[in-house]
């Protein structure tokens, strides 16, 4: 790589992990740094910058560099041991008494944490339909609201929030905007360039892409006091991603553009074909013109509309569960973003109180042959 690698596209830089080579062997893949401690110099300094394994690790830092580049994050990126560890660090950087506005339709485990643990922490959280910017504006408590948290497209209805609009509302009230961009990934959306202050991903999903690492990441627009607090929290709580997982994540990330592109093309194809299917009442996918968030999605997403879609089965909940039971190629499992396609009856896992319709099946599109994916689903729907 030339001395200024930033002249290359994000795709090129990601494929080569920013062009780093091992300075000792000239290997094109960096070694995995497993040491938990580092030698102090004779003059008592730590000239390498590394002291101990809980605040920092060179392998983790390598993947963070690629993620910061992908998100145009001036403050850099921080890897955590899970998506939840990353998300909750943002809320823990707030003070007791602070008010938070969050998307009503969002990742279930985080919504649950906000309703229980965040409340015990002293935060007050209001959930609103953030796809409606007027509703978001009305939910802001002047002087008290310190954070707006949106997920877009959001689980499992793929509701779209206008990131630039939400940023304007948050900033006018002196609050920050954080975006859970897991299902968009930097391949489709870069929230920081639309005005968000922090972007979060469950790197467990499409960033790693192979269903074999649990990881989370935060990327920050500005290295301000709040970001410093998040860094302190990761260090203090010991939530850093380990070097082996960071290596696997880096290996997965190299093919992000190829995987995410193929997955989005297949998801669009499936959404169109399932829209015309006699056993499907409704397809939820932001790429379809009839999706309520389509216009905003078309503005703020690029390279397609992501790998996630949901369908509502015409014959209701029991038929939806039977369909999930009868597929053979689709894997019946939770999670999303891997190279293998997954199907899930979402209401069953979310349990009582879920806003998820009972007849809904969530589909995470992988990289298999789309004809096989459609054929398998079609056969299961017709026999259910
Ligand atoms: C999976 C997921 C999370 C949580 O990530 P974990 O790595 O499972 O902790 C958060 N948000 C979204 C949108 C997710 O899909």
């Amino acid at each position: 790589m030339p001395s200024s690698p930033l002249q290359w596209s994000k795709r090129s830089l990601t494929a080569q992990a920013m062009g780093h080579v091992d300075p000792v062997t000239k290997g094109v893949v960096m070694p995995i740094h497993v040491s938990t401690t580092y030698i102090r110099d004779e003059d008592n300094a730590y000239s390498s910058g590394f002291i101990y394994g809980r605040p920092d690790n060179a392998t983790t830092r390598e993947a963070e560099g690629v993620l910061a580049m992908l998100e145009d994050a001036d403050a850099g990126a921080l890897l955590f041991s899970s998506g939840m560890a990353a998300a909750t660090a943002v809320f823990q950087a707030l003070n007791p008494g602070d008010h938070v506005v969050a998307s009503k339709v969002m990742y279930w485990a985080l919504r649950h944490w906000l309703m229980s643990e965040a409340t015990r922490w002293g935060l007050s959280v209001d959930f609103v339909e953030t796809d409606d910017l007027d509703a978001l504006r009305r939910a802001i408590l002047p002087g008290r609201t310190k954070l707006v948290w949106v997920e877009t497209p959001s689980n499992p209805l793929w509701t779209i929030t206008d990131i630039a609009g939400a940023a304007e509302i948050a900033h006018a009230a002196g609050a920050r905007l954080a975006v859970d961009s897991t299902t968009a990934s930097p391949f489709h959306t870069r929230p920081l360039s639309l005005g968000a202050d922090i972007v979060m991903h469950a790197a467990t999903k499409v960033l790693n892409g192979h269903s074999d690492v649990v990881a989370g990441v935060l990327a920050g627009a500005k290295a301000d006091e709040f970001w410093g607090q998040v860094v302190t929290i990761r260090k203090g709580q010991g939530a850093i991603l380990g070097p082996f997982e960071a290596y696997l994540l880096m290996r997965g990330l190299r093919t992000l553009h190829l995987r995410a592109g193929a997955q989005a093309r297949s998801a669009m194809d499936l959404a169109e074909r399932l829209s015309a299917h006699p056993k499907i009442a409704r397809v939820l996918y932001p790429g379809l013109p009839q999706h309520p968030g389509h216009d905003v999605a078309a503005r703020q997403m690029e390279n397609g509309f992501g790998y996630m879609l949901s369908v509502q089965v015409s014959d209701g909940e029991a038929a939806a569960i039977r369909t999930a039971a009868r597929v053979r190629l689709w894997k019946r499992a939770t999670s999303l973003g891997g190279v293998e396609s997954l199907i899930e009856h979402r209401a069953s896992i979310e349990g009582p109180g879920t806003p998820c319709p009972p007849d809904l099946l969530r589909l995470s599109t992988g990289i298999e042959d789309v004809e096989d994916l459609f054929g398998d689903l079609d056969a299961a729907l017709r026999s259910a």
Side-chain angles (χ1 to χ4, degrees):
M1 285 259 170
S3 54
S4 171
L6 294 175
Q7 68 181 278
W8 307 112
S9 70
K10 291 184 189 305
R11 175 174 170 158
S12 299
L13 291 170
T14 306
Q16 299 195 1
M18 307 289 283
H20 294 305
V21 295
D22 175 19
V24 177
T25 65
K26 308 276 189 240
V28 296
V29 177
M30 293 286 272
I32 305 175
H33 292 275
V34 295
S35 189
T36 55
T37 191
Y38 304 84
I39 305 282
R40 213 186 244 281
D41 305 332
E42 284 174 16
D43 64 0
N44 216 33
Y46 276 110
S47 56
S48 76
F50 292 97
I51 300 172
Y52 184 55
R54 175 154 43 72
D56 211 350
N57 172 276
T59 304
T60 308
R61 213 188 252 185
E62 188 195 344
E64 287 170 345
V66 176
L67 290 160
M69 176 275 296
L70 282 169
E71 291 291 1
D72 297 318
D74 288 347
L78 286 174
L79 276 167
F80 289 76
S81 53
S82 70
M84 283 296 287
T88 54
V90 177
F91 294 99
Q92 290 175 340
L94 296 169
N95 292 317
D98 286 350
H99 178 247
V100 174
V101 180
S103 295
K104 190 172 249 170
V105 179
M106 68 140 83
Y107 184 70
W108 182 245
L110 183 58
R111 181 178 149 93
H112 192 76
W113 185 89
L114 287 171
M115 292 190 301
S116 52
E117 301 308 307
T119 308
R120 288 206 303 129
W121 184 264
L123 300 180
S124 74
V125 187
D126 280 317
F127 295 94
V128 300
E129 319 246 336
T130 53
D131 52 323
D132 175 354
L133 291 180
D134 289 328
L136 172 58
R137 204 174 282 114
R138 282 194 301 274
I140 301 274
L141 303 179
R144 276 199 60 205
T145 305
K146 295 294 191 278
L147 181 73
V148 174
W149 179 277
V150 307
E151 180 179 322
T152 183
S154 74
N155 260 289
L157 308 178
W158 319 114
T159 312
I160 302 292
T161 295
D162 180 336
I163 296 170
E168 214 178 291
I169 293 169
H171 294 161
R176 288 183 169 75
L177 175 69
V179 177
D180 180 342
S181 191
T182 298
T183 60
S185 91
F187 180 68
H188 295 298
T189 311
R190 275 165 298 108
L192 301 185
S193 66
L194 295 168
D197 301 283
I198 291 183
V199 55
M200 172 256 157
H201 295 276
T204 312
K205 311 296 169 54
V206 78
L207 290 179
N208 178 63
H210 295 75
S211 306
D212 53 7
V213 172
V214 173
V217 65
L218 298 176
K222 217 167 67 225
D224 57 9
E225 201 182 320
F226 188 82
W227 182 255
Q229 188 60 29
V230 172
V231 174
T232 301
I233 288 169
R234 188 187 72 168
K235 179 161 79 176
Q237 299 192 341
I240 192 173
L241 188 68
F244 291 106
E245 285 80 6
Y247 162 74
L248 277 173
L249 171 61
M250 191 56 251
R251 184 183 163 114
L253 262 182
R254 288 173 184 264
T255 55
L256 172 69
H257 294 76
L258 291 181
R259 288 182 288 103
Q263 288 170 259
R265 278 193 300 280
S266 290
M268 186 73 208
D269 189 3
L270 290 172
E272 283 171 345
R273 288 160 80 171
L274 291 167
S275 296
H277 198 282
K279 294 287 186 183
I280 297 290
R282 189 164 176 226
V283 177
L284 298 162
Y285 185 65
L288 295 176
Q290 62 268 32
H291 188 278
H294 176 72
D295 291 346
V296 176
R299 253 198 338 265
Q300 74 184 16
M301 299 180 81
E302 56 188 18
N303 306 317
F305 297 89
Y307 53 93
M308 294 305 297
L309 67 153
S310 294
V311 294
Q312 290 180 256
V313 176
S314 309
D315 295 336
E317 177 170 15
I321 294 173
R322 281 197 302 274
T323 301
R326 286 178 193 177
V327 289
R328 287 157 59 219
L329 183 62
W330 292 79
K331 296 288 171 267
R332 200 165 40 256
T334 196
S335 198
L336 45 109
V339 291
E340 61 288 300
S341 295
L342 303 180
I343 187 167
E344 184 177 40
H345 179 250
R346 202 55 210 160
S348 296
I349 195 157
E350 294 194 1
T354 171
C356 178
D359 57 359
L360 181 143
L361 291 172
R362 187 179 80 173
L363 305 176
S364 173
T365 315
I367 61 167
E368 304 91 336
D369 187 327
V370 72
E371 294 306 322
D372 289 344
L373 290 174
F374 181 76
D376 187 40
L377 209 48
D378 176 50
L381 282 163
R382 286 177 196 279
S383 71

